[in-house]
Amino acid sequence: MTTTSAPNQATPNPVRRAIAITLAVIAVVVVGFFVFASLYADWLWYDQLGFSSVLWTQWTARVIMFVVGFLAMAVPVFIAIQLAYRLRPVYARLTSQLDHYQEVVEPLRRLAMWGIPVFFGFFAGFAASAQWQTAWLWFNRVDTGDLDPQFQMDTGFYLFSLPFFSSVLGFASAVLLVSLLLSALVAYLYGSVRVGQRELRISKAARIQLAVLAGLYLLVQGVSIWLDRYKTLTQQSDRITGASYVDDHAVIPGLTIIAIAAAIVAVLFFVTAIIGRWRFPLIGVGLLVVSALVVGVAYPWVVTNLQVRPNQETLESPYYQRNIDATKKAYGIDGLTKNDFQAVTNVAPGQLRSDAQTTASIRIMDPAIISPTVRQIEQYRAYYQFTNPLDVDRYQIDGKSQDTVVSVRELNMAQLGQAASWYNSTLVYTHGYGMVAAKGNERTADGNPVFIERGIPTTGALTTSEKYEPRIYFGENSPPYSIVGAPEGTPDIELDYPRGTGDAAQTKTTFEGNGGPNVGNPFNRLIYSLKFQSTDILLSDGINADSQILYDRDPIDRVNKVAPYLELDNDPYPSVVDGRIVWIVDGYTLSANYPYSSIVSLRDAISDTTNTTPRVALDDVNYIRNSVKATVDAYDGKVTLYAWDDTDPLLKAWQKIYPSTVKPLSDMSADLMSHVRYPTDLFKVQRAMLGTYHVDDAGSFYQRDNAWKTPNDPTQKNPVLQPPYYLTMKMPGQDAASYSMFTTFIPGGDDTRNVLMGYLSVDSDAGATAGVKSPNYGKLRMLEINAETPVPGPGQVQNTFDADPSVSAFINILKQGQSDVINGNLLTLPVGGGLLYVQPVFVQSSGSTKLPTLQKVLVAFGNQVAFESTLQDALDKLFGGDSGASAGDGDVTPSATPSPSATAGSGSGSGATGGGTGTSVEFQAALKDAQQAMLDRQSALTQGDWTKYGEADARLTAALQKLIQLEGQG
C-alpha cells in the first residue's frame, strides 16, 4: 500500500515580497510628493501675494466638509450593516441558493463590512467637499431686510439657507437610502428576510431596522417637500420666475398636504417597528402616491385650465407685479429714470449748438478696428503686440476730460522665431513696455490716431510722474511664466526695449519688485520644475538666489484666485493710476436664488461683437451686483480688492468667510476713482432685462405690446448683438456732459421694423474724490422714443448708408484696388432734438500688412445723410452748412483721397438742406465713368477678353485720377 503525500505549498519568496513592498512604498511616496509639490506651490503663490488666508480657508473648509461627509455616510452605513448582520437569526432555514451566496460572501465579509462604508464614505466626502461654499455661506449668512411677498421670509433665506437645507436634505436622503438598501440586502443574505411560497417573512430585528430607516427616509422627504414650497419662488414658469396664481392656490397648498402626509406615513413606519404590522404604512404609501397625483398634478391642471386661462390677466396680474418689482431690484434697474422723447427728424443750420460738449467728444477712432494701425505705428519689434480690440478710458488733459483708446505693449512670444529658447523665453523676454493712448475724437491728416502717450521709451501726457513705471510684467498676454530678479550689481539680462540693432543697442533691466515666489533655493526650484514640467528650471545657471518666478499673470486669473467667489467682467482695462499702470477689473456677486426675479443667461446677455465667446462660471442667474472693484499692478502683480457695494448681502457673507481681504471704498485714491467706470457686462445684463422690464405695470407686461430687444450689430454679417459704447455726452435733461455708456432698443420679435424704441444710458463716471462715489454714478436713464415719429434704427441707417448711390459708388471704387473698406462702430447720439448717427469709415490694404486709416465719416439724422472726410465737415454738410457745434477733428485738413465731396441723399428730397446736391457735374461724370469702367472690366474678365479688360482698366485708372484731382480741388 502506498500513499501519496500532498504537494508542499509554495512558500512566498522573501526577496520578491521585499521588492514588491519597496516599490509600493516608493510609488506612494512619489505620488504623495507630487501632491505635496502642487499644494506647496499654491501656498507659495498665495503667501507671496498676501492672500494665504484665502488658501487656508479653502483647504480648511474642504477638509472639514470631507470629514463631515465621510463620517455622515460611512458611520450610518457601517452601523446599518453591523446591525443587520449581528441581529440575524441564529438558526435560519436558508435555501440552497442563499447557502451558495453565503459561501461566496463569507470570506470577504469582514472586508466588505468595513470596505463598503469606506467606499461610500469617500464618495460622500468628495461630494460634501465640493459644497463647502454653500455650507460656509449659510454659517456666515446675513439678513437683507427685504421680505418676499409670498411667505414674508427675508430674501437672505433664499440666498443662503434654502440652498444649504436642500443640500443637507439631499445628502440625508442618500445616506438613508443606501443604508436601507444595504440593510435589506444583508438581512436577505443571512435569513432575516425570507421570500418564498408567496410569503414574505421578516424577523423582528430586521423589521425594526427597516421600518425605522424607511420612516426616517419618508420624514426627510416630507421636510424636502415642505421646502419645495419656497422653491416655487425661484422656479421658472411660462412667463415669469416665481409663484403664480396656480402655485399660490394649488401647488403650494398641495405640497403642504403631501409633506404632512409623508410625515404621517413616516410615523406609521415607526409604529410598525413596534407592533409589527406592515399593512398600515404600505396603505399609507399608496395613499401618499395617490394624493401626490391628485393634489400635485390633477388639481393644478384643473385650476390652470378652468380658472386661470379664461381670466389670466385678472388673476395673474398681482404675481406679474411681484416679478416686475423683484426683477428690477435684483438687477439694480429699479432706479431707472424714464423720459418720453419726441424726436425731431428735420435738419436746420445751427441745430447742434446746444450740444457742443457732446459733439466735441464723439469718438471716431473705433477701438475694434484701429488695433492693427497702432501695431504698425507703435510695435517697434515683431515680439510686441497690442490688444484687439483696444480698451477705452479717459484722462484729464490740460484740465479737460479726454476720451481715449488705450492699450499696453505686451510680448508676443510666438514671434520670437529661432530666438525662442528656454533661456530667452524665460529669463530675457520677460515683460512688455509702456502704454499707448490716443484721443478717441481726433485724427491726423492721413487718418491715423492722435497719440497722447506713445513710443519707446514712453513719452506723453500720462507719464509725467517721476514714479511712473512703464514695464508690463503682468498682462493679458504675458508668458506662462518668467524668472526674474537678481542681486544688486548683477548684470541686467531682462530685455527692456530695443534702441537699434545688435545686443549693444538693447536696453536691459532687472525686476526689482516682489512679484512671485522665490526660486533661489534648490527645493523651490524642484517644486516648480515639477509644476511646469521643466528640468531647465532645476538645472539652469541663469537662476540666482534672488530669482522670482512670475506666473498666473493674466489680471482675470489673479483676481479669480484671490477672490474665487466673484464672477469677473470680461473686459479688464489698463490705466495709469498714481504713476503706475494697473489693470482695473470689475467683480460681480451672482445668485440664481433671488425670489420672484427672472432668470437670464449670463453668457447670452454679454455676448456681442466685442466678445462672441464670453467665459462665465455661472450661466443662469437672477441676481447680480458689481460688489468689488479690483486692481492688478502691471509691474509687480499686486492685487487689491475694494468693496464697491458694501450693502450687497453676498459680499457681506464672503467678507466674513475671507476677512481682511477686501479693503473699504474709503481706501481708493482720487486718481483710481477717476478711472473706474460702470462695468460693461453689468450694463449688458441690465439692457437684456430692460427689453422686457422697462414697463412698470402688470398689464403692459402681460400684453407684451411694448417688448424691446437689443439690435444686432449692423456692421457684422452674422447675427450678433451691437455692443454698448462709452462716450462723454450730455443726455437730454442733464446739465453737463458726463462719461457714460449707451445702447439702443428696437421692437422685439423676429420680423419687426428696425426703428428705435428706446435709448439707454448709465452715468459711468465715479468722480475724482478719494473714497467717495459720485452721487450720479450708476444712474440709469431711458429715453422712450415716441412712436408717432419713427426714428430709423441702426439696421435701417446702415442699409441707408450702404444703399446710397454716391456712398456705395465711392466704396466700390476703393474696393477695386488693393484695399478693404471697413465700417466702424455705428454710434447713436441724442442731440439736436433727435437721434444722430455717426459711423467712421476706414480703408486698409487687402495685403498682408494691415493699416486701417480713417478716410470718411458717415452721419445721418432722420432721413438725411452726409459723407465727408471729417466729422466736422459731415455735420456741417448735414445741417445746412453749419451744424453750430465743433467736432474733435475740426482743425484737420485730410490728405487727398478719392472721395465725393458732397452730401449723399436718400429718399425723396434727400440731401442736406442748404447745400443742394453739392455734387459737381464734372465729379458726377467722372464717377459714372469709373462705374462703367468697373462693369466693363468685370465683363471682359468673365469673357476672357484681355484686350477689352486692358482698355477698361485704363479707363478706370483715368477716372480715378480725375476723381483724385477733383477732390484735391475741393
Side-chain angles (χ1 to χ4, degrees):
M1 181 176 178
T2 60
T3 58
T4 304
S5 60
N8 293 331
Q9 192 171 5
T11 303
N13 189 322
V15 176
R16 290 183 179 178
R17 190 178 208 180
I19 292 175
I21 293 174
T22 302
L23 291 176
V25 170
I26 292 174
V28 170
V29 170
V30 169
V31 172
F33 185 76
F34 272 95
V35 173
F36 165 78
S38 177
L39 297 177
Y40 183 61
D42 285 344
W43 181 82
L44 288 173
W45 189 91
Y46 278 93
D47 185 62
Q48 180 276 322
L49 201 56
F51 285 87
S52 59
S53 62
V54 173
L55 191 62
W56 283 116
T57 298
Q58 294 181 38
W59 283 353
T60 303
R62 289 182 182 277
V63 170
I64 291 175
M65 289 299 293
F66 178 86
V67 172
V68 169
F70 179 88
L71 295 177
M73 174 65 79
V75 172
V77 170
F78 177 78
I79 293 174
I81 293 175
Q82 289 291 329
L83 285 175
Y85 175 74
R86 294 181 181 277
L87 298 176
R88 70 192 185 281
V90 178
Y91 301 106
R93 182 179 297 176
L94 304 177
T95 64
S96 59
Q97 188 176 21
L98 282 177
D99 281 335
H100 177 69
Y101 287 160
Q102 285 191 11
E103 290 177 3
V104 174
V105 170
E106 191 62 28
L108 302 173
R109 177 176 56 80
R110 290 183 179 274
L111 177 62
M113 284 186 170
W114 288 93
I116 290 176
V118 170
F119 173 79
F120 282 103
F122 267 105
F123 274 99
F126 286 120
S129 178
Q131 293 293 321
W132 75 269
Q133 291 181 326
T134 302
W136 256 241
L137 278 174
W138 179 73
F139 284 122
N140 295 277
R141 63 193 180 277
V142 297
D143 289 334
T144 64
D146 297 324
L147 303 180
D148 80 80
Q150 179 68 33
F151 299 103
Q152 297 300 302
M153 301 285 288
D154 189 275
T155 54
F157 169 78
Y158 299 89
L159 295 174
F160 305 110
S161 300
L162 190 57
F164 174 73
F165 292 153
S166 297
S167 298
V168 170
L169 290 171
F171 187 90
S173 296
V175 171
L176 290 169
L177 187 59
V178 170
S179 298
L180 179 61
L181 293 176
L182 288 174
S183 297
L185 178 61
V186 173
Y188 176 72
L189 283 174
Y190 288 95
S192 298
V193 175
R194 286 178 287 171
V195 181
Q197 298 179 351
R198 298 182 181 179
E199 187 179 21
L200 173 64
R201 291 183 177 272
I202 305 176
S203 68
K204 180 179 179 180
R207 182 195 73 217
I208 294 173
Q209 182 175 350
L210 295 177
V212 169
L213 287 173
L216 290 174
Y217 180 77
L218 272 176
L219 194 60
V220 169
Q221 297 310 304
V223 177
S224 180
I225 293 170
W226 182 269
L227 284 182
D228 286 344
R229 299 158 61 249
Y230 300 100
K231 291 182 181 179
T232 58
L233 272 61
T234 58
Q235 291 175 348
Q236 287 182 279
S237 62
D238 57 339
R239 280 182 172 267
I240 64 171
T241 296
S244 64
Y245 179 90
V246 175
D247 293 320
D248 189 12
H249 292 81
V251 174
I252 293 175
L255 290 173
T256 304
I257 293 171
I258 296 171
I260 295 173
I264 293 173
V265 176
V267 172
L268 292 178
F269 273 101
F270 297 147
V271 172
T272 294
I274 299 172
I275 66 175
R277 294 182 179 274
W278 289 96
R279 179 180 301 175
F280 298 118
L282 294 178
I283 292 174
V285 170
L287 292 176
L288 181 61
V289 173
V290 172
S291 63
L293 293 175
V294 172
V295 302
V297 178
Y299 183 57
W301 184 88
V302 171
V303 172
T304 299
N305 289 277
L306 300 185
Q307 189 174 1
V308 173
R309 283 190 177 179
N311 310 284
Q312 187 167 7
E313 183 175 2
T314 302
L315 297 179
E316 295 283 22
S317 287
Y319 305 95
Y320 291 165
Q321 193 63 50
R322 293 179 179 181
N323 174 248
I324 293 171
D325 296 339
T327 299
K328 289 185 174 182
K329 190 175 187 66
Y331 289 97
I333 55 178
D334 50 337
L336 175 70
T337 299
K338 296 188 292 185
N339 293 300
D340 290 330
F341 189 63
Q342 183 73 45
V344 300
T345 56
N346 297 324
V347 296
Q351 193 165 337
L352 301 183
R353 187 164 287 113
S354 61
D355 296 295
Q357 281 184 297
T358 294
T359 58
S361 300
I362 296 175
R363 189 177 65 234
I364 55 177
M365 284 292 138
D366 188 346
I369 291 179
I370 65 169
S371 180
T373 304
V374 173
R375 183 173 66 248
Q376 291 296 326
I377 298 174
E378 290 292 320
Q379 188 174 22
Y380 290 93
R381 291 291 188 272
Y383 48 76
Y384 286 131
Q385 64 177 322
F386 297 92
T387 55
N388 190 11
L390 303 180
D391 292 300
V392 178
D393 199 359
R394 75 279 190 200
Y395 290 89
Q396 288 291 322
I397 306 296
D398 297 329
K400 295 181 179 179
S401 180
Q402 173 66 58
D403 290 2
T404 58
V405 288
V406 301
S407 181
V408 293
R409 187 183 289 105
E410 294 196 66
L411 290 175
N412 184 358
M413 305 301 285
Q415 295 297 321
L416 288 183
Q418 295 181 348
S421 64
W422 180 89
Y423 185 90
N424 281 341
S425 300
T426 307
L427 304 175
V428 177
Y429 295 92
T430 58
H431 60 281
Y433 191 90
M435 173 180 277
V436 171
K439 294 182 179 180
N441 62 335
E442 294 188 20
R443 52 162 290 177
T444 63
D446 53 1
N448 288 326
V450 175
F451 293 100
I452 60 174
E453 183 72 29
R454 62 178 303 183
I456 292 182
T458 55
T459 57
L462 310 185
T463 58
T464 56
S465 172
E466 294 181 359
K467 59 181 180 180
Y468 174 68
E469 176 53 67
R471 297 167 184 85
I472 313 296
Y473 282 89
F474 293 84
E476 294 177 291
N477 296 289
S478 297
Y481 70 92
S482 296
I483 298 177
V484 299
E488 188 175 352
T490 304
D492 298 330
I493 63 170
E494 300 170 37
L495 179 63
D496 214 2
Y497 57 85
R499 290 182 288 121
T501 59
D503 185 69
Q506 293 179 339
T507 299
K508 298 183 179 181
T509 188
T510 296
F511 181 75
E512 297 178 351
N514 180 22
N518 180 274
V519 287
N521 62 73
F523 185 72
N524 283 7
R525 291 174 70 169
L526 174 60
I527 292 296
Y528 282 103
S529 294
L530 294 175
K531 178 177 179 62
F532 293 106
Q533 300 180 11
S534 172
T535 57
D536 295 310
I537 297 177
L538 189 62
L539 304 175
S540 175
D541 60 2
I543 301 177
N544 55 72
D546 291 345
S547 290
Q548 304 172 40
I549 185 166
L550 313 181
Y551 62 98
D552 287 337
R553 302 161 77 174
D554 189 309
I556 287 183
D557 292 340
R558 293 181 77 79
V559 177
N560 248 332
K561 291 186 71 171
V562 302
Y565 53 90
L566 295 177
E567 180 74 47
L568 300 182
D569 195 277
N570 283 260
D571 186 25
Y573 59 100
S575 191
V576 178
V577 176
D578 298 319
R580 308 277 290 194
I581 299 176
V582 299
W583 294 92
I584 300 177
V585 186
D586 286 285
Y588 309 111
T589 46
L590 306 174
S591 178
N593 300 306
Y594 196 88
Y596 270 108
S597 176
S598 286
I599 297 286
V600 67
S601 168
L602 186 61
R603 181 175 287 104
D604 292 344
I606 66 177
S607 176
D608 59 21
T609 304
T610 60
N611 188 15
T612 55
T613 55
R615 52 181 181 180
V616 298
L618 180 63
D619 191 10
D620 293 330
V621 300
N622 69 353
Y623 175 91
I624 183 171
R625 286 290 183 273
N626 177 210
S627 52
V628 171
K629 300 281 187 182
T631 62
V632 179
D633 193 291
Y635 182 72
D636 61 17
K638 179 183 178 182
V639 178
T640 309
L641 307 176
Y642 298 97
W644 189 250
D645 184 358
D646 56 8
T647 65
D648 174 41
L650 288 174
L651 179 62
K652 288 181 179 180
W654 283 116
Q655 283 184 297
K656 292 167 71 175
I657 296 171
Y658 296 117
S660 305
T661 58
V662 181
K663 293 185 177 181
L665 177 67
S666 58
D667 283 5
M668 295 183 72
S669 70
D671 203 11
L672 178 56
M673 292 292 293
S674 70
H675 288 284
V676 299
R677 67 191 189 191
Y678 200 79
T680 308
D681 286 351
L682 175 59
F683 188 66
K684 292 177 184 178
V685 171
Q686 289 175 329
R687 76 173 180 180
M689 301 312 299
L690 282 170
T692 300
Y693 290 93
H694 62 276
V695 299
D696 296 320
D697 62 281
S700 297
F701 178 84
Y702 170 75
Q703 295 166 11
R704 296 291 174 98
D705 58 344
N706 197 21
W708 300 344
K709 67 179 181 181
T710 304
N712 288 332
D713 191 335
T715 66
Q716 303 297 312
K717 294 181 180 179
N718 297 323
V720 58
L721 296 181
Q722 186 179 36
Y725 41 89
Y726 293 96
L727 289 174
T728 297
M729 190 170 74
K730 184 177 73 171
M731 283 281 284
Q734 281 186 291
D735 296 330
S738 65
Y739 188 71
S740 305
M741 188 162 37
F742 305 91
T743 192
T744 58
F745 294 97
I746 61 175
D750 296 329
D751 298 315
T752 56
R753 297 178 65 195
N754 195 285
V755 294
L756 283 186
M757 301 299 296
Y759 188 84
L760 178 67
S761 75
V762 62
D763 290 2
S764 302
D765 192 347
T769 303
V772 180
K773 271 190 281 189
S774 167
N776 289 327
Y777 173 86
K779 180 65 177 177
L780 290 162
R781 308 172 192 271
M782 176 77 79
L783 300 181
E784 294 185 325
I785 299 170
N786 195 302
E788 294 180 3
T789 307
V791 177
Q796 277 195 20
V797 171
Q798 189 66 59
N799 183 72
T800 299
F801 286 159
D802 295 342
D804 186 274
S806 298
V807 175
S808 59
F810 169 73
I811 290 177
N812 285 333
I813 290 172
L814 289 178
K815 289 180 178 179
Q816 289 301 308
Q818 297 297 315
S819 300
D820 292 327
V821 178
I822 307 173
N823 290 324
N825 43 208
L826 183 59
L827 306 178
T828 311
L829 303 95
V831 295
L835 279 303
L836 172 70
Y837 284 94
V838 176
Q839 183 176 57
V841 178
F842 296 82
V843 177
Q844 72 176 10
S845 169
S846 58
S848 59
T849 301
K850 306 296 184 182
L851 183 64
T853 57
L854 178 63
Q855 294 299 321
K856 292 291 173 182
V857 179
L858 286 158
V859 294
F861 193 94
N863 291 324
Q864 317 298 318
V865 301
F867 185 48
E868 295 298 324
S869 297
T870 65
L871 176 59
Q872 182 68 64
D873 290 343
L875 292 177
D876 287 340
K877 188 67 69 174
L878 185 66
F879 290 95
D882 180 14
S883 66
S886 298
D889 62 353
D891 298 331
V892 176
T893 302
S895 56
T897 53
S899 61
S901 60
T903 300
S906 70
S908 60
S910 64
T913 60
T917 62
T919 303
S920 68
V921 175
E922 196 174 6
F923 187 90
Q924 288 286 4
L927 192 59
K928 277 188 177 181
D929 289 343
Q931 289 176 304
Q932 187 60 47
M934 284 190 292
L935 294 174
D936 292 344
R937 192 176 70 162
Q938 183 62 35
S939 176
L941 179 63
T942 303
Q943 297 172 7
D945 190 335
W946 299 109
T947 302
K948 289 184 178 180
Y949 179 88
E951 294 174 353
D953 190 61
R955 286 189 283 115
L956 175 61
T957 301
L960 289 175
Q961 290 175 346
K962 182 67 173 177
L963 287 169
I964 294 172
Q965 179 184 358
L966 292 172
E967 174 69 17
Q969 296 173 359

